Amino acid sequence: MRTTTLRLYSLEYKQAKTYLAVALFVAGNILLPQLCHLVPQGGIRWLPIYFFTLVGAYKYGWKVGLLTAIVSPLVNSALFGMPAVAVLPAVLLKSVLLAVAAGYAAMYFRKASLLLLVAVVLFYQVVGTLGEWIMVGDFYKAVQDFRIGLPGMFLQIVGGWLFINHIIRK
């Protein structure tokens, strides 16, 4: 039986690697949503704007995650109009919550299990939904991710676990 150690990093803002990682994760957060938007309701069903934010924050630290969380929605909105400007504050809130939660979980637990990723995704979605409810004043709109986006949350958990543990091992 072979045991391998998962490498998690905490990159700093002064490191060039940080900005290279952010550029790659932002590119992923641009390409994946474009693919998902090819199918009806693909964006709100698969929640693709959050995927590489989760992976980046968990694997390379909250600073990489935070930059990815802020830049990805802004670039996507500017280039493609998605997310729409009206929902951009809620998407940014959830993205930032995700980056902080994923970075903290990785730093504290030093492993990436499915259970930890479930906790991270539930944290940012529940707290983000409460924040969105306060912003928009409509509970039904605020819980949209839970009504429609469950496949996307599942993708973040399972796909994120695969990326962190197997695809980007080093």
Side-chain angles (χ1 to χ4, degrees), residues 71-87:
V71 172
S72 295
L74 294 175
V75 169
N76 271 302
S77 184
L79 293 177
F80 306 106
M82 296 301 282
V85 174
V87 298

Side-chain angles (χ1 to χ4, degrees), residues 34-163:
Q34 291 309 304
L35 290 173
C36 289
H37 283 292
L38 294 174
V39 297
Q41 289 192 324
I44 59 175
R45 176 167 290 125
W46 294 104
L47 307 172
I49 194 78
Y50 304 114
F51 184 79
F52 287 103
T53 301
L54 169 66
V55 172
Y58 215 102
K59 185 73 176 183
Y60 296 101
W62 68 269
K63 293 174 183 172
V64 168
L66 189 60
L67 287 173
T68 305
I70 294 169
V71 172
S72 295
L74 294 175
V75 169
N76 271 302
S77 184
L79 293 177
F80 306 106
M82 296 301 282
V85 174
V87 298
L88 204 49
V91 171
L92 283 166
L93 171 65
K94 287 182 178 181
S95 290
V96 167
L97 287 169
L98 173 58
V100 171
Y104 176 78
M107 182 181 67
Y108 186 78
F109 293 103
R110 302 299 304 160
K111 65 180 182 175
S113 69
L114 287 171
L115 186 59
L116 283 172
L117 291 172
V118 167
V120 166
V121 169
L122 283 177
F123 170 80
Y124 96 84
Q125 280 292 344
V126 169
V127 175
T129 296
L130 293 173
E132 186 174 1
W133 184 18
I134 292 167
M135 285 183 215
V136 300
D138 185 343
F139 181 74
Y140 190 73
K141 283 183 185 177
V143 296
Q144 176 174 280
D145 285 359
F146 285 101
R147 291 184 299 110
I148 303 169
L150 289 177
M153 288 183 222
F154 181 76
L155 173 68
Q156 290 166 28
I157 294 164
V158 175
W161 181 83
L162 286 170
F163 255 81

